[in-house]
Amino acid sequence: MAKTVHDDVLDAALNYIKNNCTRMVACSSQPTTYTEANATYALADVTMASGDFTLADDTSGRKLTVAAKSGITVDTAGTATHNALLDVSNSKLLYVTTTSSTAISGTVDFGSWKINLQDPS
């Protein structure tokens, strides 16, 4: 029997991130808690708003594209290995992904990236 999911179901998860993410953080290690992402491993951060996210169809499901941000001040020099999306007002770690291991200091650019939710198969 085939599996299906309506786009609205996948969009609900992606829209939660889009509507609640208020900060993106470059981290020196994989955070598993809000505090680790916001303080312990935080190297640089930038304010985010719903307009920084674009929800769209993808070849295998749905995607949420995170806008690029440039010239972000680095608070602590180090090697960024992960990006984290946070809901600051509710102290929630919403999403973590790996990034190319990059030594950062001074300022940093966050390239555009996407979160994919695949259709069931």
Side-chain angles (χ1 to χ4, degrees), residues 14 17 21 23-38 41-42 53 64 66 80-87 92-100 110 113-117:
L14 296 173
I17 294 170
C21 177
R23 181 177 294 157
M24 179 166 52
V25 184
C27 297
S28 60
S29 189
Q30 179 182 355
T32 59
T33 66
Y34 174 83
T35 300
E36 287 179 348
N38 197 46
Y41 303 136
F53 300 91
L64 184 67
V66 181
T81 60
H82 292 77
N83 287 340
L85 299 178
L86 308 178
D87 173 353
K92 288 183 180 179
L93 175 61
L94 298 177
Y95 193 86
V96 176
T97 190
T98 57
T99 187
S100 298
F110 286 88
W113 54 283
K114 63 183 177 176
I115 301 168
N116 290 89
L117 293 182

Side-chain angles (χ1 to χ4, degrees), residues 22-27 37-39 41-48 69-76 83-84 86 88 104 108 110:
T22 54
R23 181 177 294 157
M24 179 166 52
V25 184
C27 297
N38 197 46
Y41 303 136
L43 301 176
D45 63 83
V46 62
T47 299
M48 301 294 283
K69 297 285 189 167
S70 60
I72 307 307
T73 300
V74 174
D75 300 311
T76 304
N83 287 340
L86 308 178
V88 175
I104 61 172
V108 65
F110 286 88

